[in-house]
Amino acid sequence: CGITHAFVNWGSDHPGYWKSSSGNRSRGTDFRLRPGFWEARAVIVHTDVGTQVRLAGAVHNADKSRTPVLIYAGASPSTVDQDIRGGRNEWNMYTQDIHDQPAIVRQYMRFTAQISSSKHVSQMIMSEPQGPIMEEEITDIPEPSGMLKWPIIEPAALSESAAKRIAQALSSARHPLIITSHLGRNPAAVDSLLALSMLLALPIVATCPAVVNTPFSHPYFCKLTYLQPGTHSPLLRRADVILVLDADIAWVPANEAPSASARVFVLNSADPLNTNVGYWHVDAELVAKADAASALEQIFTEVRALDTVARDVGKPILHTEGVLARGKRKAKVHADWRLTAANALGGLRKALAGKRTLVLNEGVTNYPAVWEHLRPEARRWGRISGRQSQPCRGRDCAFDIVVAIVGDGSFVFGAPSAAYWMARRYDTPYLTVILNNGGWQVSHNDRLSIGMGAECPDYSQIAVAASGNVAWGRRVASDTSLDDLNVMLTEAVSVVVEQGRCAVLDVQIEA
């Protein structure tokens, strides 16, 4: 069915599965980290406890990041007759037997049922809307010869009238704007987005991104925001035409919203009404389910056609003063030297120059800073929600180095003792940069803070101890000079790439 890797936690089924498995074997499913990788994978857990404990917040991640993954959860044996193969012989087989195991995660799944053919798996996982599916049993029923194949569902295009309508609106707009969140899951859509943006000098804003939607070097990429009050682009309020592409949350009305007169067009490749969200609505002129790459190509073609017609009457659309005036680019510079997240990340970017790098962003209150100061160009960029843990398994990874950028809270919540021992056990080195602001600042309320403040542990040495003193760890104090920070960043990268060991930098940034 096209699945080549499984992440497993077998419980009492462990010996039987282990004996029958082939290839690389590693116990312990870190499904929490699968979001950010869009090839189909499988996760195997055991009964209700595996479904709850091992999947945990990963189910939320897979749902919201639209990660195609098959979750297979075995059930307790259904008989006590020892003459029948597979009968109960352990006490936990009674306590782990519940009536409706898939109900634990059903509302996050695209599909929950028994699969009668493994050929169906690929079609269900890789067709839109992508996301997790859960099965309790997969059986291959004999199929008659000549049975139709099981292709992935072809992506939908815009209707001709919708493509013309959007093209006309963008072409005539004085202040157009494009907003996207996860368009970058489809590399073809990124190329189409850049082409349309360059054609009309359309500014692009990324809201709550989980992937790279636009190279940060693109001249019309204007802003990245996680929608806290006052952080949206100023272009939002004055925009007269807004194209929302594959974005679950384009703005939060209570914080910032476009003008009531703005024309809003919402296009989504899978679920334009966000039916897996309890309440969702955007005031829009048009809402359509359409593949982003196909839709953008259609709009591009229609704009070209409109320009040809307009030139015949002396009113061209492209290369006019209005279009050219939108093509201005802002330059960003670092502030005076202080040990801030911005300066630490700027130094990290320099240390990683020339290396194929996979970055996992769990900066929490520093989510935007990580994006803005590392300025990634390629789409393989992950955001993992809720905790930091082992980000990459095996040295056959397609990257020179894997970097997890985390807050001090998410580092603690990520069970570092297990993560760094696993990294040593399975030879999977990676770099962790802890943006340590001395507490759980996400609450935005000093009275609610549960941080440890200036007396916090030396997190780097927790990792060193957990690895049996194999990992490399350093604490970067707040009074560290720029030169010393750059030396430690360079050394940390070298430890991972050249020595094959985990490296951890506990950077004590300004709160």
Side-chain angles (χ1 to χ4, degrees):
C1 63
I3 294 176
T4 57
H5 292 73
F7 298 81
V8 303
N9 189 271
W10 289 325
S12 57
D13 302 324
H14 183 98
Y17 275 115
W18 186 275
K19 185 177 180 180
S20 62
S21 67
S22 59
N24 292 328
R25 304 168 179 173
S26 63
R27 185 177 185 272
T29 179
D30 233 327
F31 174 48
R32 289 169 292 187
L33 298 159
R34 290 310 309 154
F37 301 79
W38 285 273
E39 296 80 17
R41 294 291 184 261
V43 167
I44 305 174
V45 293
H46 65 291
T47 66
D48 63 328
V49 292
T51 303
Q52 295 174 73
V53 176
R54 294 307 305 176
L55 300 186
V59 173
H60 168 92
N61 287 4
D63 173 25
K64 301 308 178 185
S65 65
R66 296 163 178 79
T67 301
V69 59
L70 169 69
I71 302 171
Y72 178 82
S76 291
S78 57
T79 179
V80 295
D81 190 341
Q82 296 305 304
D83 293 330
I84 299 176
R85 186 177 181 181
R88 295 184 180 183
N89 60 1
E90 295 182 7
W91 66 272
N92 56 291
M93 294 178 177
Y94 290 86
T95 59
Q96 295 174 1
D97 185 14
I98 61 175
H99 296 293
D100 189 2
Q101 188 166 291
I104 299 170
V105 295
R106 181 172 288 122
Q107 61 185 330
Y108 298 97
M109 299 294 112
R110 301 298 182 268
F111 184 81
T112 55
Q114 176 177 318
I115 295 180
S116 58
S117 173
S118 60
K119 293 182 179 179
H120 197 194
V121 172
S122 178
Q123 185 182 56
M124 288 190 299
I125 293 180
M126 299 307 296
S127 296
E128 293 287 1
Q130 289 185 358
I133 66 173
M134 185 174 191
E135 312 304 327
E136 284 194 285
E137 184 176 5
I138 302 177
T139 57
D140 275 307
I141 298 175
E143 301 168 353
S145 59
M147 187 176 181
L148 293 176
K149 295 181 179 179
W150 300 74
I152 296 171
I153 298 172
E154 285 294 313
L158 276 175
S159 67
E160 184 178 351
S161 61
K164 287 182 176 180
R165 191 167 161 190
I166 296 172
Q168 289 169 347
L170 291 173
S171 298
S172 60
R174 295 186 61 192
H175 303 290
L177 178 64
I178 294 177
I179 297 176
T180 185
S181 296
H182 51 84
L183 173 142
R185 294 174 62 248
N186 180 356
V190 175
D191 294 336
S192 300
L193 173 63
L194 300 184
L196 181 62
S197 174
M198 293 297 292
L199 184 67
L200 286 172
L202 300 175
I204 302 169
V205 171
T207 59
C208 307
V211 294
V212 177
N213 300 291
T214 307
F216 271 61
S217 59
H218 180 59
Y220 307 139
F221 179 71
C222 297
K223 182 76 174 181
L224 180 147
T225 174
Y226 281 85
L227 303 177
Q228 290 91 350
T231 65
H232 212 300
S233 170
L235 300 175
L236 178 68
R237 290 187 181 277
R238 68 181 196 179
D240 53 356
V241 175
I242 302 174
L243 178 58
V244 180
L245 290 166
D246 285 346
D248 297 335
I249 315 168
W251 54 80
V252 176
N255 296 339
E256 286 121 335
S259 166
S261 62
R263 302 178 66 185
V264 179
F265 301 89
V266 178
L267 306 183
N268 193 291
S269 300
D271 185 12
L273 296 180
N274 280 282
T275 53
N276 64 335
V277 177
Y279 171 82
W280 185 91
H281 173 72
V282 169
D283 288 338
E285 179 177 324
L286 181 149
V287 177
K289 180 179 180 179
D291 173 67
S294 301
L296 287 165
E297 289 171 6
Q298 290 178 274
I299 296 169
F300 183 96
T301 300
E302 291 295 339
V303 170
R304 283 286 194 187
L306 287 170
D307 181 59
T308 300
V309 173
R311 284 183 183 278
D312 291 340
V313 295
K315 295 182 179 180
I317 296 170
L318 305 179
H319 309 298
T320 61
E321 289 186 10
V323 171
L324 295 175
R326 291 199 297 262
K328 294 182 179 179
R329 181 181 179 183
K330 289 184 177 180
K332 294 185 177 181
V333 296
H334 289 291
D336 293 337
W337 169 249
R338 289 171 294 151
L339 191 47
T340 61
N343 285 314
L345 293 165
L348 176 62
R349 185 181 72 247
K350 294 174 184 176
L352 295 171
K355 295 179 174 58
R356 295 170 301 166
T357 305
L358 173 64
V359 178
L360 300 175
N361 179 6
E362 186 58 17
V364 193
T365 49
N366 283 301
Y367 275 148
V370 175
W371 285 97
E372 290 171 357
H373 295 283
L374 287 188
R375 304 184 65 77
E377 294 292 302
R379 82 178 183 104
R380 281 194 174 275
W381 224 79
R383 181 176 67 83
I384 51 177
S385 179
R387 62 197 72 195
Q388 174 267 341
S389 192
Q390 168 129 342
C392 183
R393 295 182 179 281
R395 293 219 199 175
D396 57 349
C397 189
F399 304 94
D400 297 326
I401 186 171
V402 176
V403 181
I405 302 174
V406 303
D408 48 315
S410 55
F411 179 84
V412 173
F413 296 152
S417 58
Y420 291 99
W421 176 251
M422 185 178 291
R424 173 186 171 177
R425 174 67 178 80
Y426 294 107
D427 192 21
T428 56
Y430 60 98
L431 169 62
T432 303
V433 177
I434 305 169
L435 300 178
N436 183 355
N437 56 14
W440 188 35
Q441 302 292 337
V442 74
S443 66
H444 300 293
N445 188 318
D446 292 338
R447 289 175 297 177
L448 297 179
S449 176
I450 59 172
M452 298 179 184
E455 301 302 321
C456 63
D458 185 340
Y459 297 117
S460 67
Q461 296 309 303
I462 291 176
V464 171
S467 69
N469 294 316
V470 171
W472 177 97
R474 297 289 186 275
R475 170 178 273 187
V476 184
S478 58
D479 58 354
T480 300
S481 69
L482 174 60
D483 289 340
D484 288 343
L485 172 64
N486 288 335
V487 167
M488 283 188 274
L489 285 166
T490 301
E491 185 178 358
V493 171
S494 175
V495 165
V496 178
V497 175
E498 298 177 12
Q499 300 179 26
R501 296 189 290 150
C502 276
V504 181
L505 277 175
D506 180 0
V507 184
Q508 296 185 309
I509 61 173
E510 290 185 349

